Amino acid sequence: MQHAIEVRPYKNRVALQFKALLATHFKGERKVAAYCEMLNLSRATLNKHVKAAYGKSAGLLIREAVVHWAKLKLLYTTERVSDIAYQLNFDEVANFNRLFTRMTGMRPGEFRSRFTN
């Protein structure tokens, strides 16, 4: 028999712990497995709690946190895209560009040009 999981995020302790870890570790850690290890949970259990609370997978929330931070850097600094990618612990700028484009529909440089003029 499966256990029901509370849907409201403020009552879902696991989901809140994940979000707290995400807020402090997203720049250096983008793998769901690392968060599972920090919380001592299986991937399935973590995703079950996170989806119940936020309606999204843990992986998607990680990617959204990375892209949100990158958007802020693109909008409010003049740092190069490559510097932002390295701050987010990407080994290759192309991997950062690919993630950003997949999540936003535009390349980082396009995003900066469109929203800072």
Side-chain angles (χ1 to χ4, degrees):
M1 179 175 179
Q2 291 187 1
H3 300 283
I5 294 176
E6 180 66 46
V7 175
R8 294 176 293 215
Y10 62 90
K11 288 198 174 192
N12 187 326
R13 186 179 57 78
V14 171
L16 289 173
Q17 288 174 324
F18 169 73
K19 281 287 239 181
L21 287 171
L22 180 59
T24 58
H25 295 286
F26 74 91
K27 287 186 206 171
E29 190 53 69
R30 293 185 311 276
K31 292 185 167 102
V32 175
Y35 292 93
C36 291
E37 190 173 314
M38 289 181 224
L39 293 167
N40 197 27
L41 296 171
S42 71
R43 185 183 194 105
T45 301
L46 176 61
N47 271 319
K48 190 184 307 181
H49 283 276
V50 170
K51 280 186 180 181
Y54 304 111
K56 301 175 182 180
S57 70
L60 179 57
L61 288 175
I62 294 167
R63 291 187 298 276
E64 286 178 348
V66 167
V67 170
H68 176 74
W69 189 83
K71 285 178 176 180
L72 293 175
K73 293 295 256 184
L74 290 165
L75 292 174
Y76 299 110
T77 73
T78 57
E79 293 179 44
R80 297 180 326 175
V81 171
S82 59
D83 292 335
I84 294 169
Y86 294 133
Q87 288 172 33
L88 288 166
N89 208 30
F90 281 86
D91 292 333
E92 298 287 330
V93 177
N95 293 334
F96 168 72
N97 287 337
R98 195 171 12 263
L99 172 66
F100 192 92
T101 302
R102 187 170 21 119
M103 296 292 291
T104 66
M106 61 186 98
R107 294 176 39 226
E110 291 176 73
F111 178 86
R112 177 178 268 162
S113 296
R114 181 178 291 179
F115 296 108
T116 58
N117 291 333

PDB file of all heavy atoms in Angstrom, residues 13-22 32-42 46 50:
ATOM      1  N   ARG A  13       7.533  18.336   4.367  1.00  0.00           N
ATOM      2  CA  ARG A  13       8.873  18.564   4.909  1.00  0.00           C
ATOM      3  C   ARG A  13       9.968  18.221   3.899  1.00  0.00           C
ATOM      4  O   ARG A  13      10.938  18.967   3.757  1.00  0.00           O
ATOM      5  CB  ARG A  13       9.050  17.748   6.195  1.00  0.00           C
ATOM      6  CG  ARG A  13      10.340  18.016   6.926  1.00  0.00           C
ATOM      7  CD  ARG A  13      10.441  17.197   8.199  1.00  0.00           C
ATOM      8  NE  ARG A  13      10.323  15.762   7.987  1.00  0.00           N
ATOM      9  CZ  ARG A  13      11.315  14.979   7.527  1.00  0.00           C
ATOM     10  NH1 ARG A  13      12.469  15.496   7.250  1.00  0.00           N
ATOM     11  NH2 ARG A  13      11.128  13.692   7.373  1.00  0.00           N
ATOM     12  N   VAL A  14       9.817  17.127   3.195  1.00  0.00           N
ATOM     13  CA  VAL A  14      10.836  16.718   2.218  1.00  0.00           C
ATOM     14  C   VAL A  14      10.957  17.760   1.105  1.00  0.00           C
ATOM     15  O   VAL A  14      12.064  18.150   0.721  1.00  0.00           O
ATOM     16  CB  VAL A  14      10.520  15.325   1.628  1.00  0.00           C
ATOM     17  CG1 VAL A  14      11.429  14.993   0.461  1.00  0.00           C
ATOM     18  CG2 VAL A  14      10.644  14.256   2.710  1.00  0.00           C
ATOM     19  N   ALA A  15       9.825  18.221   0.594  1.00  0.00           N
ATOM     20  CA  ALA A  15       9.844  19.225  -0.470  1.00  0.00           C
ATOM     21  C   ALA A  15      10.490  20.522   0.022  1.00  0.00           C
ATOM     22  O   ALA A  15      11.274  21.140  -0.704  1.00  0.00           O
ATOM     23  CB  ALA A  15       8.432  19.484  -0.983  1.00  0.00           C
ATOM     24  N   LEU A  16      10.193  20.920   1.236  1.00  0.00           N
ATOM     25  CA  LEU A  16      10.798  22.131   1.796  1.00  0.00           C
ATOM     26  C   LEU A  16      12.297  21.970   1.997  1.00  0.00           C
ATOM     27  O   LEU A  16      13.072  22.892   1.730  1.00  0.00           O
ATOM     28  CB  LEU A  16      10.125  22.485   3.125  1.00  0.00           C
ATOM     29  CG  LEU A  16       8.696  23.011   3.017  1.00  0.00           C
ATOM     30  CD1 LEU A  16       8.083  23.153   4.410  1.00  0.00           C
ATOM     31  CD2 LEU A  16       8.654  24.326   2.278  1.00  0.00           C
ATOM     32  N   GLN A  17      12.717  20.807   2.454  1.00  0.00           N
ATOM     33  CA  GLN A  17      14.147  20.549   2.623  1.00  0.00           C
ATOM     34  C   GLN A  17      14.858  20.583   1.275  1.00  0.00           C
ATOM     35  O   GLN A  17      15.956  21.128   1.156  1.00  0.00           O
ATOM     36  CB  GLN A  17      14.372  19.200   3.305  1.00  0.00           C
ATOM     37  CG  GLN A  17      14.010  19.190   4.765  1.00  0.00           C
ATOM     38  CD  GLN A  17      14.115  17.804   5.379  1.00  0.00           C
ATOM     39  OE1 GLN A  17      13.823  16.802   4.738  1.00  0.00           O
ATOM     40  NE2 GLN A  17      14.516  17.757   6.636  1.00  0.00           N
ATOM     41  N   PHE A  18      14.230  19.999   0.260  1.00  0.00           N
ATOM     42  CA  PHE A  18      14.814  20.019  -1.077  1.00  0.00           C
ATOM     43  C   PHE A  18      14.972  21.457  -1.560  1.00  0.00           C
ATOM     44  O   PHE A  18      16.029  21.841  -2.055  1.00  0.00           O
ATOM     45  CB  PHE A  18      13.959  19.211  -2.059  1.00  0.00           C
ATOM     46  CG  PHE A  18      14.370  19.417  -3.488  1.00  0.00           C
ATOM     47  CD1 PHE A  18      15.536  18.857  -3.978  1.00  0.00           C
ATOM     48  CD2 PHE A  18      13.603  20.191  -4.342  1.00  0.00           C
ATOM     49  CE1 PHE A  18      15.938  19.058  -5.291  1.00  0.00           C
ATOM     50  CE2 PHE A  18      13.983  20.406  -5.655  1.00  0.00           C
ATOM     51  CZ  PHE A  18      15.156  19.833  -6.125  1.00  0.00           C
ATOM     52  N   LYS A  19      13.935  22.271  -1.411  1.00  0.00           N
ATOM     53  CA  LYS A  19      14.002  23.671  -1.869  1.00  0.00           C
ATOM     54  C   LYS A  19      15.085  24.435  -1.120  1.00  0.00           C
ATOM     55  O   LYS A  19      15.782  25.263  -1.717  1.00  0.00           O
ATOM     56  CB  LYS A  19      12.653  24.358  -1.673  1.00  0.00           C
ATOM     57  CG  LYS A  19      11.642  24.029  -2.738  1.00  0.00           C
ATOM     58  CD  LYS A  19      11.957  24.707  -4.040  1.00  0.00           C
ATOM     59  CE  LYS A  19      10.796  25.582  -4.410  1.00  0.00           C
ATOM     60  NZ  LYS A  19      10.948  26.286  -5.643  1.00  0.00           N
ATOM     61  N   ALA A  20      15.248  24.173   0.158  1.00  0.00           N
ATOM     62  CA  ALA A  20      16.292  24.838   0.939  1.00  0.00           C
ATOM     63  C   ALA A  20      17.677  24.434   0.433  1.00  0.00           C
ATOM     64  O   ALA A  20      18.559  25.283   0.273  1.00  0.00           O
ATOM     65  CB  ALA A  20      16.146  24.507   2.419  1.00  0.00           C
ATOM     66  N   LEU A  21      17.861  23.152   0.172  1.00  0.00           N
ATOM     67  CA  LEU A  21      19.139  22.688  -0.374  1.00  0.00           C
ATOM     68  C   LEU A  21      19.376  23.271  -1.758  1.00  0.00           C
ATOM     69  O   LEU A  21      20.489  23.681  -2.090  1.00  0.00           O
ATOM     70  CB  LEU A  21      19.168  21.161  -0.443  1.00  0.00           C
ATOM     71  CG  LEU A  21      19.320  20.431   0.882  1.00  0.00           C
ATOM     72  CD1 LEU A  21      19.125  18.932   0.699  1.00  0.00           C
ATOM     73  CD2 LEU A  21      20.676  20.726   1.506  1.00  0.00           C
ATOM     74  N   LEU A  22      18.331  23.305  -2.550  1.00  0.00           N
ATOM     75  CA  LEU A  22      18.442  23.843  -3.908  1.00  0.00           C
ATOM     76  C   LEU A  22      18.888  25.302  -3.871  1.00  0.00           C
ATOM     77  O   LEU A  22      19.752  25.708  -4.648  1.00  0.00           O
ATOM     78  CB  LEU A  22      17.095  23.702  -4.621  1.00  0.00           C
ATOM     79  CG  LEU A  22      17.017  24.206  -6.056  1.00  0.00           C
ATOM     80  CD1 LEU A  22      18.025  23.467  -6.934  1.00  0.00           C
ATOM     81  CD2 LEU A  22      15.607  24.028  -6.597  1.00  0.00           C
ATOM     82  N   VAL A  32      20.168  15.483  -9.689  1.00  0.00           N
ATOM     83  CA  VAL A  32      19.155  15.075  -8.718  1.00  0.00           C
ATOM     84  C   VAL A  32      19.759  14.091  -7.724  1.00  0.00           C
ATOM     85  O   VAL A  32      19.466  14.140  -6.528  1.00  0.00           O
ATOM     86  CB  VAL A  32      17.924  14.471  -9.428  1.00  0.00           C
ATOM     87  CG1 VAL A  32      16.921  13.935  -8.417  1.00  0.00           C
ATOM     88  CG2 VAL A  32      17.267  15.505 -10.329  1.00  0.00           C
ATOM     89  N   ALA A  33      20.620  13.227  -8.195  1.00  0.00           N
ATOM     90  CA  ALA A  33      21.234  12.210  -7.330  1.00  0.00           C
ATOM     91  C   ALA A  33      21.964  12.840  -6.146  1.00  0.00           C
ATOM     92  O   ALA A  33      21.941  12.297  -5.035  1.00  0.00           O
ATOM     93  CB  ALA A  33      22.185  11.342  -8.136  1.00  0.00           C
ATOM     94  N   ALA A  34      22.579  13.987  -6.350  1.00  0.00           N
ATOM     95  CA  ALA A  34      23.290  14.654  -5.254  1.00  0.00           C
ATOM     96  C   ALA A  34      22.310  15.113  -4.174  1.00  0.00           C
ATOM     97  O   ALA A  34      22.582  14.976  -2.977  1.00  0.00           O
ATOM     98  CB  ALA A  34      24.080  15.835  -5.784  1.00  0.00           C
ATOM     99  N   TYR A  35      21.170  15.626  -4.594  1.00  0.00           N
ATOM    100  CA  TYR A  35      20.161  16.073  -3.624  1.00  0.00           C
ATOM    101  C   TYR A  35      19.553  14.861  -2.910  1.00  0.00           C
ATOM    102  O   TYR A  35      19.263  14.932  -1.716  1.00  0.00           O
ATOM    103  CB  TYR A  35      19.088  16.922  -4.306  1.00  0.00           C
ATOM    104  CG  TYR A  35      19.645  18.241  -4.793  1.00  0.00           C
ATOM    105  CD1 TYR A  35      20.129  18.379  -6.087  1.00  0.00           C
ATOM    106  CD2 TYR A  35      19.721  19.337  -3.945  1.00  0.00           C
ATOM    107  CE1 TYR A  35      20.665  19.575  -6.531  1.00  0.00           C
ATOM    108  CE2 TYR A  35      20.256  20.542  -4.375  1.00  0.00           C
ATOM    109  CZ  TYR A  35      20.730  20.652  -5.674  1.00  0.00           C
ATOM    110  OH  TYR A  35      21.272  21.842  -6.094  1.00  0.00           O
ATOM    111  N   CYS A  36      19.378  13.776  -3.644  1.00  0.00           N
ATOM    112  CA  CYS A  36      18.884  12.544  -3.015  1.00  0.00           C
ATOM    113  C   CYS A  36      19.845  12.086  -1.937  1.00  0.00           C
ATOM    114  O   CYS A  36      19.421  11.684  -0.844  1.00  0.00           O
ATOM    115  CB  CYS A  36      18.716  11.440  -4.064  1.00  0.00           C
ATOM    116  SG  CYS A  36      17.388  11.724  -5.227  1.00  0.00           S
ATOM    117  N   GLU A  37      21.124  12.167  -2.231  1.00  0.00           N
ATOM    118  CA  GLU A  37      22.137  11.767  -1.255  1.00  0.00           C
ATOM    119  C   GLU A  37      22.115  12.687  -0.032  1.00  0.00           C
ATOM    120  O   GLU A  37      22.179  12.231   1.102  1.00  0.00           O
ATOM    121  CB  GLU A  37      23.520  11.792  -1.900  1.00  0.00           C
ATOM    122  CG  GLU A  37      24.593  11.178  -1.050  1.00  0.00           C
ATOM    123  CD  GLU A  37      25.911  11.076  -1.798  1.00  0.00           C
ATOM    124  OE1 GLU A  37      25.908  10.631  -2.959  1.00  0.00           O
ATOM    125  OE2 GLU A  37      26.919  11.456  -1.182  1.00  0.00           O
ATOM    126  N   MET A  38      21.988  13.996  -0.268  1.00  0.00           N
ATOM    127  CA  MET A  38      21.945  14.948   0.843  1.00  0.00           C
ATOM    128  C   MET A  38      20.742  14.693   1.753  1.00  0.00           C
ATOM    129  O   MET A  38      20.824  14.882   2.966  1.00  0.00           O
ATOM    130  CB  MET A  38      21.871  16.382   0.311  1.00  0.00           C
ATOM    131  CG  MET A  38      23.132  16.897  -0.328  1.00  0.00           C
ATOM    132  SD  MET A  38      22.878  18.606  -0.882  1.00  0.00           S
ATOM    133  CE  MET A  38      23.625  18.567  -2.504  1.00  0.00           C
ATOM    134  N   LEU A  39      19.640  14.275   1.152  1.00  0.00           N
ATOM    135  CA  LEU A  39      18.403  14.033   1.904  1.00  0.00           C
ATOM    136  C   LEU A  39      18.243  12.578   2.321  1.00  0.00           C
ATOM    137  O   LEU A  39      17.279  12.233   3.005  1.00  0.00           O
ATOM    138  CB  LEU A  39      17.196  14.457   1.058  1.00  0.00           C
ATOM    139  CG  LEU A  39      17.078  15.951   0.791  1.00  0.00           C
ATOM    140  CD1 LEU A  39      16.066  16.225  -0.306  1.00  0.00           C
ATOM    141  CD2 LEU A  39      16.709  16.680   2.076  1.00  0.00           C
ATOM    142  N   ASN A  40      19.169  11.740   1.871  1.00  0.00           N
ATOM    143  CA  ASN A  40      19.114  10.309   2.161  1.00  0.00           C
ATOM    144  C   ASN A  40      17.790   9.694   1.686  1.00  0.00           C
ATOM    145  O   ASN A  40      17.107   8.987   2.430  1.00  0.00           O
ATOM    146  CB  ASN A  40      19.339  10.042   3.653  1.00  0.00           C
ATOM    147  CG  ASN A  40      19.690   8.598   3.922  1.00  0.00           C
ATOM    148  OD1 ASN A  40      20.237   7.912   3.057  1.00  0.00           O
ATOM    149  ND2 ASN A  40      19.354   8.122   5.098  1.00  0.00           N
ATOM    150  N   LEU A  41      17.440  10.006   0.445  1.00  0.00           N
ATOM    151  CA  LEU A  41      16.204   9.518  -0.167  1.00  0.00           C
ATOM    152  C   LEU A  41      16.496   8.941  -1.534  1.00  0.00           C
ATOM    153  O   LEU A  41      17.473   9.316  -2.178  1.00  0.00           O
ATOM    154  CB  LEU A  41      15.200  10.673  -0.356  1.00  0.00           C
ATOM    155  CG  LEU A  41      14.672  11.371   0.878  1.00  0.00           C
ATOM    156  CD1 LEU A  41      13.896  12.607   0.471  1.00  0.00           C
ATOM    157  CD2 LEU A  41      13.790  10.434   1.673  1.00  0.00           C
ATOM    158  N   SER A  42      15.620   8.068  -1.995  1.00  0.00           N
ATOM    159  CA  SER A  42      15.731   7.588  -3.367  1.00  0.00           C
ATOM    160  C   SER A  42      15.211   8.675  -4.307  1.00  0.00           C
ATOM    161  O   SER A  42      14.465   9.570  -3.890  1.00  0.00           O
ATOM    162  CB  SER A  42      14.908   6.315  -3.564  1.00  0.00           C
ATOM    163  OG  SER A  42      13.524   6.621  -3.541  1.00  0.00           O
ATOM    164  N   LEU A  46      12.047  11.278  -3.607  1.00  0.00           N
ATOM    165  CA  LEU A  46      12.224  12.727  -3.709  1.00  0.00           C
ATOM    166  C   LEU A  46      11.270  13.302  -4.743  1.00  0.00           C
ATOM    167  O   LEU A  46      10.559  14.269  -4.474  1.00  0.00           O
ATOM    168  CB  LEU A  46      13.670  13.080  -4.063  1.00  0.00           C
ATOM    169  CG  LEU A  46      13.931  14.577  -4.282  1.00  0.00           C
ATOM    170  CD1 LEU A  46      13.621  15.380  -3.016  1.00  0.00           C
ATOM    171  CD2 LEU A  46      15.357  14.804  -4.732  1.00  0.00           C
ATOM    172  N   VAL A  50       8.349  16.113  -4.235  1.00  0.00           N
ATOM    173  CA  VAL A  50       8.505  17.389  -4.935  1.00  0.00           C
ATOM    174  C   VAL A  50       7.351  17.614  -5.920  1.00  0.00           C
ATOM    175  O   VAL A  50       6.786  18.709  -5.985  1.00  0.00           O
ATOM    176  CB  VAL A  50       9.884  17.453  -5.634  1.00  0.00           C
ATOM    177  CG1 VAL A  50       9.985  18.648  -6.558  1.00  0.00           C
ATOM    178  CG2 VAL A  50      10.992  17.497  -4.583  1.00  0.00           C
TER     179      VAL A  50
END
